[in-house]
Amino acid sequence: MKTLINKPLSIFAFFAFAVPFFVYVRTLCPTIYVGDSGELVTSSYVLGIPHPPGYPLFCLLGKVFTVILPFGEIAFRVNLLSAVLGALAIMVVFLAIYRLGTILFSSSNISIMLSSLCAAFFLAFSKTFWSQALMAKGCLYILNMFLFSLIIFQLVSALAKPESGARRLFASAFLYGLVAANHHTGFACFPALLLFIFIMPRKIWNNFRFWAALSALVLLGLAVYLYLPLRAASEPALNWSNPQGLKETLDHVTRKQYGALV
């Protein structure tokens, strides 16, 4: 099988990112939108704590965009984060579909690339995905989609090259921790991770060190939640429920006030 990195594929991957990004930016919401957008933009700007579960990964990435971009309103900058992540997610989806196609058809050619690009564009310009890639509120879900797509790419790559299975699973475990630290819908991909673990060669997963490393990487991703007590202690301008202690942090992360995890 030819390597995944080649010139035609690089060109297709560029278009998989550039076309959706151009469209998203042209249709991007220029300011605060409906729902929780105002709260989420504010929490990014002041590194605050929004409503449960706190969305620490989003707050940190949103803050980066408010700092590094020298133009536009603060709301526009955070909205742009959603557009960037949405376009990146589409590019990774394209690569994942292409890699799956090379496995199924045991070949690598332009027709598979073109079919993969069309499939990715169907997602990019679907009503729901497109609308969420235009505003801060939607960034919570778009960020999840980006991390999901990275996990899928890692797992499909593990199927293509079983010798890299352990490394791919370790990367997926860390990404899974980040997904769970962003939005609780991330728990939905846990069965897929388990399935891929057990279809890997038995020598990979049939030992304690493998499971210990896998668990440690998930916890490393979840460690982003330490943002909540650390920022609460600094008393930011937006500090929902002030989760400074262990109990308050757990209550915030598990959405206790809503009575449901999701």
Side-chain angles (χ1 to χ4, degrees), residues 175-247:
L175 291 168
Y176 176 74
L178 292 179
V179 169
N182 175 57
H183 198 279
H184 289 157
T185 53
F187 293 125
C189 68
F190 184 67
L193 277 174
L194 284 181
L195 175 63
F196 271 81
I197 288 172
F198 287 110
I199 64 176
M200 288 292 103
R202 186 179 180 89
K203 64 180 181 180
I204 292 179
W205 55 263
N206 193 25
N207 66 79
F208 173 79
R209 293 178 61 186
F210 169 79
W211 288 102
L214 212 63
S215 301
L217 287 166
V218 172
L219 292 175
L220 181 61
L222 286 171
V224 179
Y225 272 125
L226 291 174
Y227 166 92
L228 299 180
L230 292 175
R231 285 304 298 159
S234 300
E235 300 182 351
L238 179 58
N239 189 11
W240 191 301
S241 77
N242 190 28
Q244 292 192 38
L246 178 60
K247 181 181 183 303

Side-chain angles (χ1 to χ4, degrees), residues 3-254:
T3 179
L4 183 63
I5 304 300
N6 56 63
K7 187 173 181 178
L9 183 60
S10 299
I11 295 173
F12 273 87
F14 170 76
F15 278 102
F17 170 83
V19 173
F21 181 67
F22 175 79
V23 174
Y24 295 161
V25 171
R26 292 289 295 175
T27 56
L28 192 70
C29 179
T31 186
I32 299 293
Y33 196 57
V34 297
D36 304 321
S37 289
E39 175 200 357
L40 293 169
V41 169
T42 302
S43 64
S44 294
Y45 182 58
V46 303
L47 280 180
I49 299 174
H51 64 276
Y55 310 110
L57 187 57
F58 162 80
C59 291
L60 292 169
L61 292 175
K63 179 62 176 179
V64 170
F65 265 60
T66 67
V67 172
I68 66 173
L69 296 181
F71 55 85
E73 298 180 4
I74 296 300
F76 173 83
R77 299 178 197 183
V78 180
N79 291 341
L80 187 60
L81 170 62
S82 189
V84 171
L85 290 174
L88 286 173
I90 297 304
M91 182 182 70
V92 178
V93 166
F94 158 74
L95 292 172
I97 296 173
Y98 168 75
R99 170 138 281 187
L100 183 61
T102 61
I103 296 172
L104 294 175
F105 299 104
S106 300
S107 65
S108 173
N109 53 53
I110 297 297
S111 63
I112 296 178
M113 295 180 195
L114 184 59
S115 299
S116 302
L117 185 64
C118 290
F121 280 170
F122 270 113
L123 173 62
F125 301 117
S126 62
K127 180 179 179 180
T128 299
F129 192 97
W130 188 349
S131 67
Q132 297 305 303
L134 308 180
M135 56 182 175
K137 168 66 175 177
C139 190
L140 301 177
Y141 314 115
I142 293 298
L143 177 54
N144 250 26
M145 284 295 298
F146 173 57
L147 295 171
F148 273 146
S149 64
L150 286 174
I151 291 174
I152 291 171
F153 177 74
Q154 292 295 332
L155 296 180
V156 172
S157 297
L159 285 179
K161 294 183 177 181
E163 65 274 12
S164 69
R167 176 169 54 87
R168 298 288 186 177
L169 287 172
F170 289 152
S172 299
F174 174 68
L175 291 168
Y176 176 74
L178 292 179
V179 169
N182 175 57
H183 198 279
H184 289 157
T185 53
F187 293 125
C189 68
F190 184 67
L193 277 174
L194 284 181
L195 175 63
F196 271 81
I197 288 172
F198 287 110
I199 64 176
M200 288 292 103
R202 186 179 180 89
K203 64 180 181 180
I204 292 179
W205 55 263
N206 193 25
N207 66 79
F208 173 79
R209 293 178 61 186
F210 169 79
W211 288 102
L214 212 63
S215 301
L217 287 166
V218 172
L219 292 175
L220 181 61
L222 286 171
V224 179
Y225 272 125
L226 291 174
Y227 166 92
L228 299 180
L230 292 175
R231 285 304 298 159
S234 300
E235 300 182 351
L238 179 58
N239 189 11
W240 191 301
S241 77
N242 190 28
Q244 292 192 38
L246 178 60
K247 181 181 183 303
E248 292 79 11
T249 300
L250 290 175
D251 287 347
H252 199 80
V253 170
T254 57

